[in-house]
Amino acid sequence: MSNAPEITLLPSADESANGRHRSGRRLHRGATVLTAVVAAGAVAMATYAGTPSAPVLDAEGADNKVADASPFAGDALRNVTDSVAAPLDEAISSMQAERSDAALNFSAWSSLKAGDVAAERAQEIAAERAAAEKAAAEKAAAERAAAEEAAAEKAAAEREAAAEREAAAAEEQREEAASRSQEREQAPAPAPVSSGDARSIARSMLGSYGWGSDQFGCLDSLWMRESGWNHTAQNPSSGAYGIPQALPGTKMATAGADWRTNPATQISWGLSYISGRYGTPCGAWAHSQSVGWY
């Protein structure tokens, strides 16, 4: 409760003329306080000016001096302080609230901005992944195409090599046939040998291979078809030679160097061939009947 005296105003002329008297109106608290502060300040300054060697006062010292000079001014000053402090506190609180709202708004904006950045980055990552997958697919396709091309080239090279080998083998056979033909032309004509003699030689050799006389009929039919038991017979197409029609005839050299002229040498080679390939003359004859050769 303030100890400041109340200040009243005199009644106006109109009020006196009308015979109405109103008690003095109480001044607004702010005006009263302001008037008191100004008065107190004047008193304090006058008092302070009259004090020799007055030290420099701080705010608290000034308040004390004012209070010492005039208790009324001190109370007024305290009322001013109270009236100013409340709005100041309210202003500070308002500023703090606004700052808090601004912080919240900034936080929300930051979160929204972060979300936008994350979405953009996710789109960039997806685009990069799609580009990488496309590049990988294109690379795989190129590698498959290259592998298929390499395989095709390899197959073509193998076919070409096989054709060259076949051509070389055919050429070798032709050269061998030509060589045999030249040898035959240069060799003296062998003395004719009766077919009976050749058959007799063959019959006598059956036992050395473990065959009975029953195998001779198959052997006779086989070699009669092949050469007619002629030891100089030669196939004009293939070049097969002799009684067993060895192809080439030089194979019979394993049985003897006289394979061109000696029926016994040819028969020995022929029986050995039949034994190793068909087991018996009847086995060779059955094959010949089936496919036309043995």
Side-chain angles (χ1 to χ4, degrees):
M1 184 65 180
S2 176
N3 294 320
E6 293 182 354
I7 301 175
T8 58
L9 296 178
L10 296 176
S12 62
D14 293 337
E15 290 175 345
S16 299
N18 295 330
R20 291 177 296 177
H21 176 73
R22 297 179 59 186
S23 61
R25 290 177 294 171
R26 181 176 297 179
L27 288 178
H28 189 274
R29 179 181 180 88
T32 303
V33 171
L34 180 58
T35 303
V37 169
V38 171
V43 174
M45 291 300 295
T47 303
Y48 178 70
T51 303
S53 301
V56 178
L57 297 178
D58 56 11
E60 183 178 359
D63 291 343
N64 292 334
K65 285 295 183 178
V66 170
D68 291 341
S70 174
F72 168 74
D75 291 339
L77 184 59
R78 281 192 292 273
N79 289 336
V80 170
T81 302
D82 292 341
S83 63
V84 171
L88 182 59
D89 291 339
E90 183 178 355
I92 292 174
S93 299
S94 177
M95 291 175 61
Q96 290 177 343
E98 290 176 358
R99 185 176 62 181
S100 177
D101 292 341
L104 290 176
N105 292 335
F106 178 76
S107 177
W109 177 85
S110 298
S111 299
L112 181 60
K113 190 64 177 178
D116 294 341
V117 171
E120 292 177 358
R121 182 53 184 160
Q123 292 177 353
E124 292 176 356
I125 293 174
E128 292 173 356
R129 183 181 295 111
E133 292 176 353
K134 181 180 179 181
E138 292 176 351
K139 181 179 179 182
E143 291 177 351
R144 284 196 300 271
E148 291 174 356
E149 183 178 358
E153 292 178 354
K154 181 179 179 182
E158 291 177 351
R159 288 193 299 270
E160 184 178 356
E164 291 177 354
R165 288 194 298 269
E166 292 176 359
E171 181 65 22
E172 184 178 356
Q173 290 178 357
R174 285 193 296 270
E175 291 177 355
E176 186 176 354
S179 176
R180 287 198 304 269
S181 177
Q182 184 178 4
E183 290 175 355
R184 285 195 300 273
E185 291 175 357
Q186 294 175 354
V193 178
S194 64
S195 61
D197 291 340
R199 283 187 174 91
S200 298
I201 294 171
R203 189 186 296 275
S204 67
M205 290 182 180
L206 293 178
S208 63
Y209 291 94
W211 301 326
S213 58
D214 59 319
Q215 293 293 321
F216 181 76
C218 295
L219 181 64
D220 183 58
S221 299
L222 177 65
W223 284 350
M224 189 66 186
R225 170 187 283 180
E226 293 292 328
S227 64
W229 289 91
N230 183 0
H231 70 287
T232 60
Q234 183 174 5
N235 189 307
S237 299
S238 66
Y241 186 77
I243 294 173
Q245 287 291 283
L247 181 66
T250 53
K251 288 182 178 180
M252 294 185 291
T254 58
D258 57 350
W259 58 272
R260 292 184 181 87
T261 59
N262 191 342
T265 300
Q266 294 179 3
I267 292 170
S268 176
W269 180 89
L271 294 179
S272 178
Y273 171 78
I274 290 172
S275 177
R277 190 171 183 87
Y278 301 104
T280 64
C282 288
W285 172 238
H287 186 273
S288 179
Q289 286 182 305
S290 175
V291 299
W293 54 270
Y294 82 107

